[in-house]
Amino acid sequence: MEFFKKSSSLWDTFAISLVSFIVVFPNINGVFGSHKVYIDLQSSSAVNVKNVHRTGFHFQPPKHWINAPMYYNGIYHLFYQYNPKGSVWGNIVWAHSVSKDLINWIHLEPAIYPSKKFDKYGTWSGSATILPSNKPIILYTGLVDSNKTQVQNYAVPANLSDPYLREWIKPDNNPLIVPDISINKTQFRDPTTAWMGKDGHWRIIMGSLRKKRGLAIMYRSKDFMRWIKAKHPLHSTANTGNWECPDFFPVSLQGTNGLDKYGEDSKYVLKNSMDLTRFEYYTVGTYDIKKDRYIPDNTSVDSWKGLRLDYGNFYASKSFYDPSKNRRVTWGWANESDIMPDDDIKKGWAGIQLIPRKLWLDPSGKQLVQWPVEELETLRKQKFQLSNKKLNNGEMVEVKGITPAQADVEVTFSFASLDKAEPFDPNWTDLYAQDVCAIKGSTVQGGLGPFGIATLASQNLEEYTPVFFRVFKAQQNYKVLMCSDATRSTLKYNETMYKPSFAGYVDVDLADKKLSLRSLIDNSVVESFGAGGKTCITSRVYPTLAIYDKAHLFAFNNGTEPITIETLDAWSMGNAKIE
């Protein structure tokens, strides 16, 4: 049969962070958000929690609105923005959960909540640092008035002998940092994990804005209590708007191990969450320790067209160094993209944490590589295997014997030739990858591609979310487009429904004529990792037919060049324990 024809009819040791505060609306530029408080809705508690589309192995609290973690004395601590009273943004506290494996979690009482004059109007995002005395300290943004004037506060554990660090104290000498006249006091937030320079002084940065220029404002301190603003930002970029949730960390030049020391013999990554686009961008570069300036490499585009950690629904991420496994882990958040706030109340919950990802520098030195933490594999159950399966144009094969609505799929595709790669249209040069994906979707026949997997598909393909590749021939090289296309993910129509065709290009050598893909499918989320984690895309989708045991999973080829599934391994995924 000709594939998809039917569809036309139908978060050293020592770092934590919180993810920002985002409310869902559709927006053509990506994950749209706002700090708007819904006075009439923010305290509307869920009476019944609807389980349709709730995830099985992604982190979610039992109910209400959420929007990352610290490793301390053998325990992972997840702190996250949470509304304990309702399913939309408002009443924000620092919720707190703990784990021994980053997958299974125990909920605790909130760690920080508005209670003092320096955070009366809000306890917003921040990070934590472990001081040399092995004492964790949290820095967070507090709102001191109804005009959203933002200051930086700190909190410390009440009892270090408590392995779960259940109670946190906010001393009365807060705030530690207040905005001076050169700073936009309403765009001054999200302090990073602190690091110490060779001079023995601590350093942190915060996201801000001056006119249209995004800023990573730097502060220094000898004692962690008295902070002085540096003369220059660590880095800034014109025409990028307000920066949120900045993250700055070293990466090793070799291997996949993480680093927690800020030395001169490393590369560095500066990541920012862009308020205007609601996407996350990063650059790879060098850090001038003497001048305290970050300089992106000339191979890193320092703008909205630069590299992203994830080209889909992924925001407000934070990385931390995990000494137990000598790795750096990053953790992002995904909002709901299907409905308006009053509908979130009816559903009883909103927002999920995505799977924690180990990250490292690609051998090329030009980009990061990300991969789900290995602990996730403990949830794998029934397995389906397929090898050496050829797919001609329009052919598909169903993955059976697992639960397609909640699965982990790894597949390697190969092809005999690049000759049929279609020309890359010069008119697409200034377009974003997702715009090209919207033009060249999974049903548009190509030469080498589209080929991939159709996730959360209904039996007759009225609904499906394809994750696929297309290979183009540009002037000097080949361009590999990876898409996660939600445009046909659901039959549900709603004027606020956001069903984008997310996409990114994959910087990969095609000499071996192979492309690999891994997708984590969890009822309403599809997290995909192309070419071993070089390009990552997350989609939130809301099928009406392809739910529970009615969901299907297919591998397909819709290009004229035959594709071979060299290996396909798929597992049913069990539920994480979240107590």
Side-chain angles (χ1 to χ4, degrees):
M1 69 182 276
E2 189 172 349
F3 186 51
F4 291 153
K5 285 297 185 182
K6 294 182 180 180
S7 61
S8 60
S9 65
L10 310 191
W11 181 313
D12 250 307
T13 323
F14 312 31
I16 63 171
S17 97
L18 302 199
V19 280
S20 269
F21 339 96
I22 303 172
V23 177
V24 182
F25 294 96
N27 181 279
I28 60 172
N29 292 320
V31 182
F32 189 82
S34 169
H35 294 114
K36 180 178 179 180
V37 177
Y38 292 86
I39 299 297
D40 56 335
L41 301 176
Q42 65 176 343
S43 297
S44 298
S45 182
V47 176
N48 296 308
V49 175
K50 295 183 179 180
N51 288 322
V52 175
H53 300 138
R54 277 186 67 86
T55 58
F57 57 91
H58 286 72
F59 178 89
Q60 285 187 272
K63 60 182 179 179
H64 295 156
W65 189 93
I66 79 161
N67 156 242
M70 168 179 73
Y71 182 84
Y72 181 71
N73 289 355
I75 300 292
Y76 295 100
H77 295 257
L78 171 61
F79 300 90
Y80 55 97
Q81 298 280 279
Y82 177 60
N83 181 352
K85 297 181 179 180
S87 300
V88 302
W89 190 85
N91 307 305
I92 295 301
V93 304
W94 277 46
H96 186 190
S97 297
V98 293
S99 172
K100 291 185 178 182
D101 61 5
L102 286 173
I103 301 300
N104 302 290
W105 294 89
I106 299 173
H107 292 307
L108 304 177
E109 291 299 308
I112 301 174
Y113 47 87
S115 63
K116 302 276 190 173
K117 62 182 180 181
F118 48 78
D119 63 10
K120 179 179 179 181
Y121 290 86
T123 53
W124 285 10
S125 292
S127 301
T129 301
I130 303 299
L131 300 179
S133 55
N134 197 34
K135 294 180 180 178
I137 182 170
I138 285 174
L139 293 175
Y140 71 97
T141 298
L143 274 67
V144 298
D145 56 39
S146 59
N147 295 321
K148 296 184 180 179
T149 299
Q150 295 160 24
V151 300
Q152 313 311 321
N153 304 318
Y154 80 103
V156 294
N159 181 9
L160 285 172
S161 65
D162 175 8
Y164 289 173
L165 303 178
R166 292 176 176 88
E167 184 181 355
W168 291 75
I169 298 171
K170 299 179 291 185
D172 290 335
N173 64 330
N174 276 304
L176 294 185
I177 302 174
V178 298
D180 62 28
I181 59 173
S182 70
I183 293 174
N184 184 332
K185 64 181 182 180
T186 65
Q187 308 286 354
F188 178 59
R189 53 182 175 264
D190 310 338
T192 61
T193 300
W195 72 95
M196 184 177 286
K198 286 187 175 182
D199 56 4
H201 293 188
W202 292 100
R203 288 153 172 81
I204 58 172
I205 59 173
M206 279 167 285
S208 190
L209 169 73
R210 183 182 298 131
K211 295 183 178 180
K212 295 182 179 181
R213 177 175 286 273
L215 306 174
I217 300 176
M218 174 175 280
Y219 282 77
R220 305 185 186 98
S221 176
K222 293 181 180 179
D223 59 5
F224 223 92
M225 291 291 107
R226 293 177 292 274
W227 293 88
I228 300 174
K229 183 165 73 72
K231 183 178 180 180
H232 300 288
L234 176 75
H235 188 61
S236 68
T237 305
N239 300 315
T240 52
N242 186 47
W243 288 1
E244 296 188 305
C245 302
D247 199 7
F248 182 61
F249 54 89
V251 287
S252 176
L253 295 172
Q254 294 182 335
T256 66
N257 287 343
L259 297 177
D260 65 337
K261 293 184 178 181
Y262 289 66
E264 295 176 305
D265 56 347
S266 305
K267 282 287 188 179
Y268 284 82
V269 172
L270 177 62
K271 186 278 306 182
N272 294 290
S273 304
M274 300 301 191
D275 200 7
L276 288 177
T277 66
R278 289 291 153 170
F279 285 130
E280 299 213 310
Y281 303 82
Y282 76 90
T283 54
V284 178
T286 57
Y287 174 34
D288 188 325
I289 295 176
K290 294 180 180 179
K291 294 181 180 179
D292 271 330
R293 303 296 290 270
Y294 168 75
I295 307 97
D297 291 345
N298 58 14
T299 55
S300 277
V301 177
D302 194 12
S303 73
W304 288 351
K305 287 195 173 182
L307 294 165
R308 301 183 197 171
L309 287 180
D310 190 295
Y311 289 82
N313 190 335
F314 182 99
Y315 197 73
S317 69
K318 183 65 175 72
S319 74
F320 71 101
Y321 175 70
D322 177 3
S324 69
K325 292 184 179 291
N326 193 17
R327 61 186 175 181
R328 181 161 290 273
V329 176
T330 192
W331 209 340
W333 168 81
N335 65 356
E336 303 303 312
S337 57
D338 63 330
I339 45 184
M340 291 293 285
D342 56 342
D343 290 319
D344 278 330
I345 293 172
K346 295 176 183 177
K347 186 170 60 174
W349 54 275
I352 64 170
Q353 292 294 136
L354 297 170
I355 296 301
R357 304 172 180 180
K358 177 180 176 178
L359 61 77
W360 63 93
L361 186 67
D362 182 73
S364 69
K366 296 190 296 183
Q367 69 164 94
L368 295 174
V369 179
Q370 302 167 79
W371 199 247
V373 293
E374 62 188 32
E375 291 90 337
L376 180 65
E377 297 173 16
T378 63
L379 297 181
R380 289 173 170 175
K381 304 297 183 182
Q382 298 93 338
K383 183 178 182 180
F384 171 90
Q385 287 184 294
L386 182 67
S387 60
N388 297 318
K389 174 65 177 180
K390 185 177 180 179
L391 295 178
N392 292 311
N393 180 24
E395 289 187 335
M396 56 187 284
V397 60
E398 184 168 5
V399 177
K400 296 184 177 182
I402 63 165
T403 56
Q406 198 166 305
D408 184 354
V409 186
E410 295 190 58
V411 57
T412 298
F413 300 98
S414 66
F415 36 90
S417 173
L418 291 162
D419 293 344
K420 292 183 181 178
E422 57 198 299
F424 185 80
D425 191 329
N427 294 319
W428 299 341
T429 302
D430 293 328
L431 296 179
Y432 289 93
Q434 70 182 61
D435 298 322
V436 178
C437 181
I439 298 169
K440 291 286 190 175
S442 64
T443 61
V444 180
Q445 179 177 286
L448 187 45
F451 59 86
I453 61 175
T455 72
L456 296 173
S458 58
Q459 184 172 11
N460 295 317
L461 301 175
E462 301 94 338
E463 296 177 329
Y464 59 93
T465 300
V467 186
F468 61 93
F469 298 107
R470 297 185 79 109
V471 181
F472 296 97
K473 179 67 172 74
Q475 280 188 323
Q476 303 297 327
N477 54 11
Y478 292 94
K479 293 179 73 72
V480 178
L481 179 71
M482 173 179 165
C483 299
S484 181
D485 189 357
T487 55
R488 304 186 187 198
S489 60
T490 180
L491 292 176
K492 180 179 179 180
Y493 178 77
N494 183 314
E495 64 273 14
T496 68
M497 183 69 70
Y498 182 43
K499 301 189 293 182
S501 49
F502 288 133
Y505 291 109
V506 189
D507 187 0
V508 60
D509 184 356
L510 294 177
D512 62 357
K513 299 181 180 62
K514 294 181 182 181
L515 282 168
S516 67
L517 176 67
R518 181 180 181 182
S519 288
L520 307 177
I521 306 160
D522 197 359
N523 297 291
S524 66
V525 58
V526 182
E527 279 189 83
S528 298
F529 304 80
K534 284 192 170 187
T535 298
C536 308
I537 310 177
T538 297
S539 290
R540 296 299 310 278
V541 295
Y542 308 91
T544 60
L545 300 177
I547 60 174
Y548 302 132
D549 60 350
K550 302 300 182 183
H552 297 261
L553 175 65
F554 302 95
F556 71 92
N557 176 31
N558 212 25
T560 57
E561 174 68 30
I563 299 298
T564 297
I565 299 174
E566 288 209 345
T567 59
L568 188 155
D569 298 301
W571 296 265
S572 296
M573 294 295 283
N575 292 331
K577 295 179 181 178
I578 301 179
E579 304 174 3

